[in-house]
Amino acid sequence: VFFTFSLGTRVHYFGRTILHGGAKYRATGRGFVVRHEKFAENYRLYSRSHFVKGLELMVLLICYRLYGSAADDGISYALLSFSMWFLVLSWLFAPFLLNPSGFEWQKIVEDWEDWSKWISCRGGIGVPSVKSWESWWEEEQEHLRHTGFMGCLVEIILSIRFFIYQYGIVYHLNMTTSIRQGIRQSIVVYCLSWLVIVAVLIILKIVSMGRMKFSADFQLMFRLVKLVMFVGSIVTIAMLFYFLDLTIGDIFQSILAFVPTGWALLQISQACRTVVKGIGMWGSVKALARGYEYMMGVLLFAPITILAWFPFVSEFQTRLLFNQAFSRGLQIQRILAGSKMQA
């Protein structure tokens, strides 16, 4: 697990340096680690190098199970995709599995409070990345500011893979199957899916502008605007159910298609930062990016929280990481600490 995770670190930074230059020394620390690292620190270190790539591979594996023809049954799928699932789980959860006291409930509560405070904190001049998500987000784009035209162009070309993926998912929707009669009709449906994305972006922009202009002095008007947009969205979905044979499965598959597309738009916007700022959309890009970060954080934190409910998981992790004498001493230290808190 550790080797697979460390391999992801090398792949990420080698690839970034080849595309954009600007190699850096990354201090790793070679001592015997017994200190618990907070969730926010692990997220800052490994979000772009491991978590994003791991989630992308996980989505592709899910789509392979839903639409792939090579594996007709669960056993064949498991045999074909076992190594890839091992890679995904290693990249997503190795920092928490190898983090001392990573499944203690009190540590989980403290980590969540720290991460929530970090991601909601606004950045600014002099605010370090360890205190604010915005400062960290700006630092993560530093390589794009110093790269050349070819580097930005390569980033845009690589992001196109999400649009191709979106076309493949939309093509298999139940409502698409019922109305298409050929490749021309499927392309029309794909274009209609882009109208959905544009509509969502416009709604986000309206909400963002309304929050800045009306939330302070005209709260009733702002809430009325949000109510109208919510009712309009519900009516639109109901019409799709009635006229185009939309199903519940189509909704989940649409989410599976549009979430990676939104991430591609973020990557392209970051590569074209000057243009996006020129048209006044950078604030919306930042708000959308914060939403994606929050969603990824919740997806990573939920399994850790569920495992932390079971005390034997934390004990198993301690015995896995340390020798028997150290594990026994750590257990005694926890008991003494609990006794002091109760006293």
Side-chain angles (χ1 to χ4, degrees):
V1 170
F2 178 80
F3 171 77
T4 305
F5 187 84
S6 61
L7 192 64
T9 305
R10 299 174 187 175
V11 168
H12 175 74
Y13 287 104
F14 277 141
R16 175 177 290 187
T17 304
I18 290 172
L19 289 177
H20 307 289
K24 289 183 178 181
Y25 172 75
R26 295 285 178 175
T28 56
R30 295 169 177 83
F32 183 67
V33 179
V34 295
R35 182 172 61 90
H36 173 78
E37 289 290 349
K38 293 185 177 180
F39 178 82
E41 179 65 18
N42 283 324
Y43 190 88
R44 286 190 293 268
L45 288 174
Y46 308 120
S47 174
R48 294 299 182 267
S49 58
H50 295 80
F51 299 156
V52 170
K53 295 179 175 60
L55 289 173
E56 181 181 348
L57 287 174
M58 184 179 72
V59 170
L60 291 175
L61 287 171
I62 294 174
C63 292
Y64 179 64
R65 182 67 184 97
L66 293 175
Y67 307 113
S69 58
D72 297 329
D73 57 287
I75 297 178
S76 300
Y77 172 77
L79 294 175
L80 287 172
S81 62
F82 168 77
S83 58
M84 292 302 297
W85 275 111
F86 178 79
L87 175 68
V88 168
L89 295 177
S90 298
W91 281 6
L92 292 180
F93 299 109
F96 314 108
L97 177 64
L98 304 176
N99 187 20
S101 304
F103 295 96
E104 287 188 23
W105 184 253
Q106 185 60 36
K107 296 290 185 183
I108 293 292
V109 174
E110 295 174 358
D111 286 358
W112 175 256
E113 293 176 351
D114 177 74
W115 186 77
S116 300
K117 182 179 178 181
W118 171 75
I119 200 171
S120 60
C121 182
R122 293 185 176 274
I125 299 176
V127 180
S129 59
V130 296
K131 298 293 184 180
S132 169
W133 169 83
E134 288 188 10
S135 300
W136 170 82
W137 188 64
E138 293 288 344
E139 287 184 2
E140 286 296 318
Q141 303 174 46
E142 187 177 356
H143 64 284
L144 294 174
R145 301 177 200 167
H146 303 290
T147 189
F149 173 77
M150 289 302 300
C152 292
L153 181 62
V154 170
E155 286 288 335
I156 295 173
I157 293 174
L158 290 175
S159 299
I160 294 177
R161 70 186 187 273
F162 294 104
F163 301 150
I164 300 173
Y165 159 82
Q166 176 197 346
Y167 172 77
I169 300 297
V170 171
Y171 187 82
H172 284 88
L173 293 179
N174 181 69
M175 59 176 290
T176 306
T177 305
S178 63
I179 65 175
R180 72 167 186 261
Q181 297 176 353
I183 185 65
R184 185 171 300 175
Q185 283 75 13
S186 66
I187 293 177
V188 170
V189 174
Y190 177 65
C191 295
L192 291 176
S193 70
W194 271 101
L195 291 179
V196 175
I197 296 175
V198 172
V200 171
L201 293 177
I202 292 175
I203 291 174
L204 290 176
K205 184 64 177 180
I206 293 174
V207 172
S208 177
M209 294 176 61
R211 184 178 291 109
M212 291 187 297
K213 293 184 178 181
F214 301 118
S215 60
D217 300 324
F218 303 97
Q219 294 187 11
L220 181 60
M221 178 65 69
F222 181 58
R223 293 178 180 177
L224 182 61
V225 171
K226 291 196 295 184
L227 177 62
V228 170
M229 290 190 297
F230 175 75
V231 173
S233 301
I234 296 298
V235 171
T236 302
I237 294 176
M239 292 176 63
L240 291 175
F241 270 105
Y242 184 79
F243 292 106
L244 297 179
D245 297 329
L246 184 70
T247 63
I248 299 296
D250 285 346
I251 294 179
F252 287 105
Q253 294 177 46
S254 298
I255 294 174
L256 205 63
F258 293 151
V259 169
T261 302
W263 183 257
L265 294 176
L266 280 177
Q267 301 305 303
I268 294 175
S269 300
Q270 293 171 15
C272 305
R273 182 189 181 108
T274 305
V275 177
V276 175
K277 279 190 172 183
I279 61 178
M281 291 294 293
W282 188 248
S284 300
V285 170
K286 186 181 295 185
L288 185 62
R290 190 193 298 272
Y292 269 87
E293 302 287 355
Y294 199 89
M295 181 173 59
M296 286 193 294
V298 170
L299 288 175
L300 292 170
F301 206 83
I304 301 171
T305 305
I306 294 174
L307 291 175
W309 286 345
F310 305 99
F312 67 87
V313 175
S314 179
E315 183 177 353
F316 171 76
Q317 184 200 30
T318 302
R319 294 184 177 275
L320 177 69
L321 295 181
F322 308 113
N323 59 42
Q324 187 174 1
F326 187 87
S327 301
R328 188 183 300 112
L330 188 60
Q331 293 291 341
I332 295 174
Q333 183 180 3
R334 292 174 184 169
I335 294 174
L336 294 176
S339 302
K340 290 181 181 179
M341 290 179 62
Q342 292 178 0

